[in-house]
Amino acid sequence: MRYYVTFTHTTANGVAFEYFEYQPATPIAGYDDIDNLTTMIRGWGRTNVTVIAFSPLADPTPTARAAS
């Protein structure tokens, strides 16, 4: 399952919002998954990370996949 993840972090200019598409090995199921996600984002050099939301993304229909 793929997710659209939105998070905040601190920059020299204040708070920034960012988002990205994320596909974990297993579906997000609880606090530990969010903690792992936050740790991953911190690994990119972001500080004071807060995951605001994660929304499941629908996989394309078989017809849409075939056309791409």
Side-chain angles (χ1 to χ4, degrees), residues 8-37:
T8 64
H9 63 96
T10 303
T11 70
N13 297 321
V15 176
F17 285 83
E18 291 191 49
Y19 56 90
F20 64 99
E21 191 174 310
Y22 176 61
Q23 186 167 359
T26 58
I28 294 173
Y31 175 79
D32 288 342
D33 295 320
I34 301 303
D35 189 48
N36 290 337
L37 184 56

Side-chain angles (χ1 to χ4, degrees):
M1 175 170 282
R2 296 175 305 131
Y3 297 89
Y4 188 77
V5 179
T6 305
F7 67 97
T8 64
H9 63 96
T10 303
T11 70
N13 297 321
V15 176
F17 285 83
E18 291 191 49
Y19 56 90
F20 64 99
E21 191 174 310
Y22 176 61
Q23 186 167 359
T26 58
I28 294 173
Y31 175 79
D32 288 342
D33 295 320
I34 301 303
D35 189 48
N36 290 337
L37 184 56
T38 301
T39 300
M40 180 184 79
I41 296 168
R42 285 185 187 132
W44 301 341
R46 308 307 194 272
T47 57
N48 297 322
V49 173
T50 302
V51 173
I52 299 296
F54 57 94
S55 304
L57 295 170
D59 287 324
T61 61
T63 304
R65 279 189 295 228
S68 59

